[in-house]
């Protein structure tokens, strides 16, 4: 059976890489991000390269009511979602907790926690009713142990781990599966966003180490999604070879 995969934050980075990985393996895609133009460009590229059927849902995942309506009003042929990839998320700022920016905190909490909860709430009941489905959350190594100047971001990713574990418990009497993917250093536009467009500061994050790519994480996501039905990959922690934790790396 051809799977329908819903990916949030699909227009760039890990989300785009996941779209390409699932498309290459014959899945049909529901693509979400804020910018309709970028989604249209990606959808067209996937159609041309893989013949992929795509349905785009351009909205900000933080807007709960818009998200509810978009998912509730999916065309009937797109409504049966098999795999949900909760990828939309971000880090903002790298300051000590006691001088952090309130707006940055709100955006991280609203995107990384509340939006993930909302999308899960709107999609998973249908999976339970159909008796099939897989929820894959993109967490972070930062969710395991806090690092200096990143406490709020780390807290949001710790929440992703806890929410993933709790959902897995709540679904234990169903055939549904829940996976938390926890990347380390991944070179995408993550750091550019964290530093509010300061590309020089962002580039320094990856100097002296070969970081992971979005495609590396997409491989892990697809591995979990394509496991036999009796196999639930609960977590994958994936780091660059010279990274040992969220705060310890070796740089040449």
């Amino acid at each position: 059976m051809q799977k329908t995969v819903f990916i949030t934050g699909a227009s760039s980075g890990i989300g785009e890489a996941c779209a390409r990985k699932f498309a290459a393996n014959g899945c049909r895609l529901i693509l979400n991000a804020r910018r309709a133009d970028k989604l249209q460009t990606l959808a067209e590229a996937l159609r041309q390269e893989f013949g992929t059927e795509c349905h785009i849902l351009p909205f900000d995942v933080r807007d709960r009511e818009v998200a509810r309506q978009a998912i509730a009003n999916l065309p009937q042929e797109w409504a049966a979602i098999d795999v949900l990839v909760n990828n939309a998320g971000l880090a903002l700022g790298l300051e000590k907790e006691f001088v952090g920016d309130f707006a940055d905190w709100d955006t991280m909490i609203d995107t990384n926690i509340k939006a993930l909860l909302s999308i899960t709430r709107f999609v998973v009941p249908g999976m339970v009713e159909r008796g099939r489905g897989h929820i894959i959350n993109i967490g972070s190594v930062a969710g395991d142990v806090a690092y200096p100047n990143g406490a709020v971001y780390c807290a949001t990713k710790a929440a992703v781990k806890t929410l993933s574990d709790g959902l897995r418990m709540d679904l234990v009497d169903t055939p549904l599966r829940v996976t938390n993917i926890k990347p380390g250093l991944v070179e995408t536009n993550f750091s550019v966003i964290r530093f509010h467009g300061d590309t020089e500061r962002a580039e320094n994050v990856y100097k002296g180490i070969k970081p992971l790519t979005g495609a590396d994480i997409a491989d892990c996501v697809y591995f979990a999604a394509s496991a036999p039905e009796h196999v639930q990959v609960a977590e994958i922690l994936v780091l660059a070879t010279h990274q040992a934790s969220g705060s310890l790396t070796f740089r040449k």
Side-chain angles (χ1 to χ4, degrees):
M1 181 186 72
Q2 186 183 40
K3 289 185 177 180
T4 299
V5 182
F6 179 18
I7 304 170
T8 66
S11 62
S12 65
I14 292 172
E16 180 181 354
C18 287
R20 293 187 175 279
K21 184 69 176 182
F22 280 105
N25 285 277
C27 299
R28 59 207 299 265
L29 305 176
I30 301 171
L31 303 174
N32 158 262
R34 287 178 296 175
R35 290 184 53 182
D37 58 336
K38 294 190 74 173
L39 290 177
Q40 289 280 17
T41 299
L42 175 59
E44 185 56 34
L46 296 177
R47 286 190 192 100
Q48 291 185 8
E49 188 170 353
F50 305 110
T52 306
E53 288 183 83
C54 295
H55 182 79
I56 68 167
L57 286 184
F59 63 84
D60 188 331
V61 290
R62 294 176 295 172
D63 192 324
R64 181 175 293 159
E65 181 55 24
V66 170
R68 184 192 68 78
Q69 291 186 24
I71 294 168
N73 292 316
L74 279 167
Q76 185 176 357
E77 65 271 23
W78 288 98
I81 296 167
D82 298 296
V83 180
L84 168 62
V85 182
N86 275 315
N87 165 72
L90 77 169
L92 289 171
L94 196 65
E95 298 86 24
K96 294 182 184 298
E97 185 176 335
F98 61 88
V99 294
D101 183 273
F102 288 112
D104 285 352
W105 292 355
D106 287 344
T107 301
M108 286 188 284
I109 291 167
D110 288 347
T111 307
N112 298 358
I113 302 176
K114 292 167 69 176
L116 180 145
L117 275 170
S118 296
I119 301 299
T120 300
R121 176 65 180 82
F122 298 142
V123 172
V124 172
M127 291 180 168
V128 173
E129 184 178 344
R130 292 185 297 275
R132 68 176 191 275
H134 195 163
I135 303 92
I136 301 177
N137 295 329
I138 304 300
S140 172
V141 62
D144 287 346
V145 180
Y147 53 71
N149 301 327
V152 175
Y153 172 69
C154 293
T156 66
K157 289 304 186 179
V160 172
K161 172 178 170 52
T162 301
L163 293 171
S164 300
D165 291 344
L167 182 62
R168 194 178 304 111
M169 294 172 186
D170 291 340
L171 294 171
V172 71
D173 60 342
T174 77
L176 276 65
R177 301 180 291 181
V178 181
T179 301
N180 182 24
I181 307 289
K182 305 188 298 184
L185 281 171
V186 184
E187 189 168 10
T188 61
N189 60 350
F190 176 88
S191 290
V192 175
I193 293 171
R194 167 167 245 170
F195 299 128
H196 299 283
D198 187 337
T199 54
E200 183 177 353
R201 190 177 180 192
E203 288 171 359
N204 286 333
V205 173
Y206 310 108
K207 281 189 174 176
I209 186 171
K210 185 173 183 178
L212 302 167
T213 66
D216 295 326
I217 308 308
D219 286 344
C220 296
V221 171
Y222 187 76
F223 168 77
S226 59
E229 290 184 1
H230 71 288
V231 176
Q232 179 171 214
V233 180
E235 282 192 353
I236 299 178
L237 173 64
V238 53
L239 306 173
T241 298
H242 289 297
Q243 180 179 18
S245 70
S247 58
L248 180 61
T249 58
F250 169 74
R251 299 175 189 271
K252 294 182 180 179

